[in-house]
Amino acid sequence: MADMKALYEDLDRILVTKEEIAEAVKKLGAQITRDYAGKRPLLLGILKGAVVFYSDLMRFIDLPVVCDFMSVSSYGSATKSSGVVQIRKDLDHDITGCDVIVVEDIVDSGVTLNYLSRHLINRGAASVKIAALLDKPARRRVELKVDYSCFNIPDAFVVGYGLDYNEIYRNLPDIGVLAPRIYEK
Ligand code: 5GP
């Protein structure tokens, strides 16, 4: 526990508590269940940041779902988007005719999901919707419709509940603003 306490000390403040997250994810699962009634959506998780959100969300969707994952990157280890999207791990499924729900941790500039949505439609998806845990609307650089999002947050670099800085902090149960001294040093 001592190490986890040290991780919490790297935060300026907690932005969203684990209780608030649990409530919002449950609500989102119920909404997706209603919206996709009679369908079998393909839940496409974006590695690695979305894994915690994904695994919680899928258990609140009361429908048969197909699971798949992609790894894309526009970031490296810095805290600002490069604007260049690279596919590191592709889908396992043929998505022709599928109703795809892209499950993402956070929408920032929108560059990653703008690219990915077009890419999935080009590959024959019947529909593509975006479910993001967090949205930073103030940072948007390209137009993007975020169909489902749990929380709008201010322009700050956040970690926890799957989100990392240099691969650390993903297992924090809460979401917090990382103190700038951590990434500016
Ligand atoms: P976008 O293409 O929308 O600019 O970037 C989306 C990706 O950038 C996210 O999937 C995430 O990996 C990363 N990202 C954007 N903002 C943050 C943040 O505040 N914290 C962390 N840990 N990653 C972020």
Side-chain angles (χ1 to χ4, degrees), residues 104-110 132-140 144-155:
E104 176 64 304
D105 52 359
I106 185 165
V107 184
D108 187 58
S109 69
L133 176 70
L134 305 172
D135 190 359
K136 288 187 201 169
R139 297 257 312 161
R140 205 68 94 249
L144 183 75
K145 181 168 183 260
V146 181
D147 302 279
Y148 305 104
S149 81
C150 293
F151 302 98
N152 278 357
I153 63 164
D155 179 9

Side-chain angles (χ1 to χ4, degrees), residues 42-47 54 66-72 87-96 98-103 116-117 119-125 128:
L42 184 143
L43 284 190
L44 172 53
I46 306 303
L47 299 171
Y54 186 101
V66 176
C67 298
D68 209 338
F69 295 91
M70 280 179 90
S71 174
V72 296
I87 296 180
R88 290 179 173 168
K89 184 229 169 279
D90 207 349
L91 291 156
D92 292 334
H93 291 85
D94 174 3
I95 56 163
T96 309
C98 286
D99 292 304
V100 178
I101 304 174
V102 180
V103 180
L116 201 59
S117 304
H119 179 79
L120 296 170
I121 289 289
N122 286 340
R123 282 169 70 164
V128 177

Side-chain angles (χ1 to χ4, degrees), residues 32-77:
I32 290 174
T33 303
R34 286 194 299 276
D35 292 354
Y36 284 82
K39 295 186 174 165
R40 181 177 297 217
L42 184 143
L43 284 190
L44 172 53
I46 306 303
L47 299 171
K48 301 172 195 169
V51 289
V52 183
F53 175 44
Y54 186 101
S55 68
D56 282 347
L57 178 64
M58 68 187 289
R59 284 173 289 172
F60 285 115
I61 299 176
D62 197 10
L63 295 170
V65 296
V66 176
C67 298
D68 209 338
F69 295 91
M70 280 179 90
S71 174
V72 296
S73 133
S74 66
Y75 251 57
S77 62

Side-chain angles (χ1 to χ4, degrees), residues 74-75 81 104-113 136 156-159 163-165:
S74 66
Y75 251 57
S81 175
E104 176 64 304
D105 52 359
I106 185 165
V107 184
D108 187 58
S109 69
V111 168
T112 309
L113 289 183
K136 288 187 201 169
F157 191 80
V158 296
V159 293
L163 290 133
D164 75 313
Y165 174 66

